[in-house]
Amino acid sequence: MMIREASRDDGHELQDIQSRCVAGTTLKIVTVNEPDFFSRTGAYQECRVFVACDSERILGSVACAILDTTVGGRPEKAGYIFQAFVEPQLRGRGIVRKLYEHCEQFLKSRGVRIGFGLIMQDNEANRRAAGRAGYDALKGPCVEYVLTYRKMPVLNSSKRVRTMTTDDAAAVCDLLNRMWTGYDLYEPVTVEKLLSDIRSIPEFGLNNILIVEADGRIVACASYWDWSKITKITVRSWNARIKLTSAALGVARVFREVPVLTRPGKALKQWCLINFAFSSIEDFKILLTHINNLAVDSKIDQVCFVCNDGHAAVKDLTGFIRLGFDSMLYAKSLNGGMRLNNSHLWIGGLGL
C-alpha cells in the first residue's frame, strides 16, 4: 500500500467509494461530494487530500486543512482532519490510521502543533479509527438542525435584515470576534480574510451573508452555504429517535402545519451556517426567521449550525422546530504539549 496526494483524475473513483460508505449505526447516511469531489476541500485556503492505494485501485482517503486558529488564547495553527473513508470491506485493516499519520507528517512540516476532527457521535466506525490513531475524544459541540417547512412572521419591523456589502465587512468582523474570541479553535476574522473566504468558498458569495441592522448598527450576522450544491447526503435509514419524532409530527399534522422529515432513500437539502454572531438572542431569532423564509422559498429542508450546548444559540433559541445531534471532537497534540478547552470549542460550518 502506498499513500499519495490525490489528483483531479481520482475524483470519480473517490466518489464511487464514498457512495458505498454508510456513516452512522442507527441514523445511517451516505455522503458523496458531487458534482466535483474536490469542491468541499476547495473551501479551505491550504488543504490536501491524500489517498491510500495499491497497484490497482484507491483503498481510502483522508483530507486535512491548515487553519489559523487560537488555542488557550494564543494564535495557533491547527490541522483539521476530515472526510475520512475507506472501502467498506477493507475496514479494520489500519488504512485510515496510516492516512492519519500521513496527514500528521504534512501538518507538522507546516508548523502545525495540534490536529483535530469532528465526528458525529453515531459514526462509530470513524470514531474507532480516530481513537486507534491516538486522538483523544472530547465532547464536541451540538449540531442543530432547524426544520424549515413554512414561512414565519418577522415580529420586529424596526430592525432591518439585508445582505452584507463590502462596506459592512469591518463591523461584521468585529461582531464575530466579540462573540467567539476565547473559544479554542476559533479563527479570528479580519476584513481581508472575510473577503478572501467569500471569493474562495465554492457556490458562495456576498448574497449568502445576511445582517440585522438597528439604528445604523449591525447587531447580528450569519453566512449560509448551500451544501446540496457540493455534497449529496442521502438518508439510508432512521434511528428510533427520528422515527418517534416523525410519528409525533404525524399526529400534530392533524391540527397544524408541521415539517415532513426527509425519508430514507431521499437526499437532504440543507443550508449550513458557516458562521454567525449576534448582540442578543432576539436579534438571532430575527435573522434565523429571515433565513428560514428564504429556505422555504428555495425548497430547503433544514438549516443547520454548530454550537456548544451552553451557548445562547442553543439553550435560549425558541420558536423553531429543531433536532440536535451530539458530536465528538477528536484531538491530538503533534508536539506533545497542546490541549484544548473541552467546554469552549468553536467549529465553523465549513467543518461539518
Side-chain angles (χ1 to χ4, degrees), residues 90-351:
L90 300 179
R91 287 178 176 173
R93 300 188 186 185
I95 295 171
V96 173
R97 177 175 56 80
K98 292 185 181 300
L99 282 162
Y100 267 71
E101 291 172 354
H102 199 85
C103 286
E104 291 167 16
Q105 292 172 10
F106 164 74
L107 294 171
K108 286 191 285 188
S109 74
R110 297 296 195 274
V112 174
R113 300 199 301 160
I114 191 165
F116 74 96
L118 186 72
I119 303 175
M120 300 306 294
Q121 197 168 69
D122 191 49
N123 192 345
E124 293 183 2
N126 273 11
R127 288 177 58 191
R128 284 195 300 269
R132 289 168 182 163
Y135 285 72
D136 295 325
L138 305 176
K139 185 182 185 303
C142 187
V143 183
E144 292 285 312
Y145 289 85
V146 178
L147 305 183
T148 54
Y149 64 99
R150 66 177 178 87
K151 287 196 170 184
M152 301 171 64
V154 178
L155 300 179
N156 193 327
S157 59
S158 66
K159 296 183 179 181
R160 178 188 176 199
V161 179
R162 61 175 176 82
T163 57
M164 175 186 151
T165 69
T166 55
D167 292 338
D168 301 316
V172 167
C173 290
D174 180 64
L175 190 63
L176 288 166
N177 290 334
R178 280 192 284 116
M179 171 158 280
W180 301 113
T181 293
Y183 281 69
D184 277 359
L185 302 178
Y186 174 62
E187 299 179 69
V189 186
T190 64
V191 171
E192 181 181 12
K193 175 173 170 47
L194 179 63
L195 297 180
S196 175
D197 287 345
I198 292 169
R199 292 189 296 267
S200 63
I201 297 173
E203 303 293 340
F204 187 80
L206 272 174
N207 287 340
N208 294 100
I209 305 178
L210 298 180
I211 63 172
V212 178
E213 196 172 39
D215 299 323
R217 296 184 304 110
I218 294 175
V219 295
C221 63
S223 306
Y224 66 92
W225 191 25
D226 188 347
W227 256 56
S228 62
K229 291 185 177 179
I230 65 160
T231 303
K232 182 179 180 181
I233 303 174
T234 304
V235 178
R236 283 290 180 86
S237 64
W238 282 345
N239 60 17
R241 178 188 172 198
I242 302 298
K243 289 178 180 177
L244 288 173
T245 300
S246 179
L249 290 173
V251 173
R253 194 169 291 113
V254 176
F255 306 98
R256 62 190 181 95
E257 186 180 10
V258 294
V260 176
L261 301 181
T262 304
R263 296 187 174 278
K266 300 294 185 180
L268 291 173
K269 295 181 180 179
Q270 65 184 36
W271 286 351
C272 175
L273 300 189
I274 295 176
N275 55 32
F276 60 91
F278 48 85
S279 297
S280 72
I281 191 63
E282 295 305 320
D283 295 329
F284 187 51
K285 287 181 184 179
I286 293 170
L287 188 55
L288 198 55
T289 296
H290 193 87
I291 292 173
N292 170 88
N293 294 347
L294 292 175
V296 170
D297 285 339
S298 299
K299 302 188 185 305
I300 297 298
D301 301 319
Q302 58 221 206
V303 174
C304 64
F305 62 89
V306 191
C307 200
N308 288 87
D309 287 345
H311 194 274
V314 175
K315 70 182 182 68
D316 296 332
L317 183 64
T318 59
F320 300 87
I321 295 180
R322 293 180 289 155
L323 290 174
F325 292 88
D326 292 329
S327 71
M328 301 297 293
L329 190 136
Y330 283 79
K332 181 178 181 179
S333 173
L334 304 184
N335 74 339
M338 298 292 296
R339 292 292 183 271
L340 295 177
N341 185 332
N342 195 17
S343 60
H344 284 81
L345 294 168
W346 185 89
I347 300 292
L350 285 180

Side-chain angles (χ1 to χ4, degrees), residues 17-18 20-25 29-30 59 84-96 123-126 128-129 132:
I17 299 172
Q18 278 188 316
R20 294 192 293 275
C21 293
V22 179
T25 54
I29 62 171
V30 173
L59 311 176
F85 59 91
V86 66
E87 280 281 9
Q89 71 271 22
L90 300 179
R91 287 178 176 173
R93 300 188 186 185
I95 295 171
V96 173
N123 192 345
E124 293 183 2
N126 273 11
R128 284 195 300 269
R132 289 168 182 163

Side-chain angles (χ1 to χ4, degrees), residues 71-89:
V71 176
R74 298 182 302 274
E76 194 70 50
K77 287 187 179 294
Y80 175 52
I81 301 175
F82 65 106
Q83 198 173 263
F85 59 91
V86 66
E87 280 281 9
Q89 71 271 22

